[in-house]
Amino acid sequence: RLLRAPYEITAELGFELAVARYSPTDPDRQLVLALANCNYQRGREQAHKWIDLQRNFFFEDTSLSAELLCSPHADTRAYARQSLKLMTFGDAPAQALIARVVALLQSLGENEQQRAAEICQSLLELFHQPLRRIGPEVIRDLLAHSLVEVQQFAGDLVLNHETLSQHPPDDVLRAQLNSDEEEERSSGVRIIGQLT
């Protein structure tokens, strides 16, 4: 609770207590996650160091990986993206992680454009192949999001999809072409342009 506080001075106290209590032989994932997302920069740096020492242990937890990739703090998001590039995921864990990140994306509000853009870019970089098979219902949900960055991500998914790029659902294509956002309409036009 101290680490989640909005005030840096409170988060600093939480950091000091976390350092005193942390055990590398019995690491507490939730404590490290709270530290990685706290408002105290030294705390976030410490969390990154602890994760580096046991990267497989932490990143095999898809829930924790998703939370780090979607962190409110840009430095933790960048750290998670770089760390996940060093990991190898099987198909099932990759799909689970993508589902968790998409769920977190859906929760972002109006003033989180930069955060949304970075998360979407990370997904495209890290999970290009699994995303080529993502279900159309997920794409529909992303297209309905209020943030343009998320809508553009949905367009990218259709463009690169192994089947939908050549057979886009009518409602998905219509939603893109009728969007109020120029970038999203352009995405729809690109989809039409690559059809046989």
Side-chain angles (χ1 to χ4, degrees):
R1 287 198 297 269
L2 291 170
L3 289 168
R4 286 195 294 266
Y7 309 107
E8 185 176 309
I9 189 71
T10 311
E12 183 179 359
L13 173 60
F15 161 69
E16 291 169 358
L17 292 170
V19 168
R21 291 168 186 252
Y22 184 73
S23 169
T25 58
D26 185 23
D28 183 332
R29 286 186 175 119
Q30 291 308 306
L31 179 65
V32 173
L33 176 61
L35 201 57
N37 287 334
C38 78
N39 284 320
Y40 184 52
Q41 184 176 349
R42 279 188 59 209
R44 297 196 300 275
E45 291 169 354
Q46 182 61 64
H48 302 166
K49 288 175 185 173
W50 282 339
I51 295 170
D52 278 339
L53 294 173
Q54 295 172 287
R55 187 178 287 120
N56 288 338
F57 170 79
F58 285 101
F59 283 109
E60 71 185 8
D61 182 329
T62 56
S63 177
L64 181 137
S65 297
E67 292 281 354
L68 291 172
L69 203 57
C70 299
S71 172
H73 299 281
D75 57 345
T76 292
R77 290 195 300 273
Y79 166 77
R81 182 171 60 250
Q82 292 303 106
S83 297
L84 285 166
K85 286 179 181 178
L86 304 173
M87 301 293 297
T88 302
F89 289 94
D91 189 58
Q95 295 293 349
L97 179 50
I98 290 167
R100 291 181 183 278
V101 173
V102 166
L104 289 169
L105 257 182
Q106 295 283 31
S107 70
L108 296 185
E110 291 295 328
N111 297 318
E112 297 183 281
Q113 295 92 340
Q114 182 62 36
R115 184 179 174 191
E118 288 180 17
I119 294 168
C120 293
Q121 187 57 43
S122 293
L123 280 176
L124 290 171
E125 284 180 22
L126 295 166
F127 301 105
H128 178 74
Q129 280 304 120
L131 287 173
R132 286 173 51 80
R133 299 185 302 278
I134 199 164
E137 65 285 347
V138 177
I139 293 173
R140 288 186 181 97
D141 288 343
L142 293 169
L143 277 172
H145 199 281
S146 60
L147 290 176
V148 177
E149 292 77 9
V150 178
Q151 295 170 19
Q152 288 175 318
F153 174 57
D156 290 335
L157 293 178
V158 176
L159 275 167
N160 297 310
H161 202 276
E162 63 183 22
T163 56
L164 299 183
S165 58
Q166 286 300 312
H167 303 284
D170 288 346
D171 61 324
V172 169
L173 191 55
R174 213 176 293 119
Q176 289 182 293
L177 293 172
N178 291 328
S179 172
D180 292 335
E181 301 298 331
E182 182 180 351
E183 297 90 343
E184 192 55 29
R185 293 195 301 274
S186 297
S187 179
V189 170
R190 289 199 304 276
I191 292 168
I192 291 174
Q194 73 179 16
L195 296 177
T196 57

